[in-house]
């Protein structure tokens, strides 16, 4: 490995190590996901369940997906 590349890698590694040590000694401040993550997840699950409950029960879809017995062939035209 070239000396300049080795020096660049050691500087990058030293910077990463310095950052991790600095972050390890810092007090953890809750961010948005720490504060509201579970609430947002539960809210999304409730909306998902409500919308699909409406779709499955109120829209009047016919769920018989097989066309057997419902489609009759027409006469062939020549």
């Amino acid at each position: 490995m070239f000396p300049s590349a080795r020096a660049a890698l050691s500087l990058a590694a030293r910077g990463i190590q310095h950052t991790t040590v600095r972050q390890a000694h810092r007090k953890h401040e809750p961010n948005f996901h720490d504060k509201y993550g579970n609430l947002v997840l539960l809210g999304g699950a409730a909306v998902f369940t409500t919308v699909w409950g409406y779709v499955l029960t109120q829209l009047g879809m016919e769920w018989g997906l097989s066309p057997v017995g419902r489609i009759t062939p027409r006469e062939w035209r020549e």
Side-chain angles (χ1 to χ4, degrees), residues 18-76:
H18 180 68
T19 302
T20 56
V21 166
R22 188 174 29 164
Q23 289 177 353
H25 292 291
R26 190 177 67 181
K27 290 185 179 180
H28 178 69
E29 300 170 0
N31 59 12
F32 177 84
H33 300 288
D34 293 332
K35 288 181 180 178
Y36 306 110
N38 291 334
L39 186 63
V40 170
L41 183 66
L42 291 174
V47 169
F48 177 85
T49 304
T50 304
V51 168
W52 276 107
Y54 173 79
V55 167
L56 293 174
T57 59
Q58 301 297 318
L59 286 184
M61 292 183 179
E62 292 185 14
W63 293 100
L65 300 177
S66 174
V68 174
R70 286 190 278 156
I71 297 176
T72 56
R74 291 186 289 177
E75 293 293 326
W76 183 258

Side-chain angles (χ1 to χ4, degrees), residues 9-22:
L9 282 176
S10 70
L11 282 177
R14 193 176 308 141
I16 292 170
Q17 289 170 349
H18 180 68
T19 302
T20 56
V21 166
R22 188 174 29 164

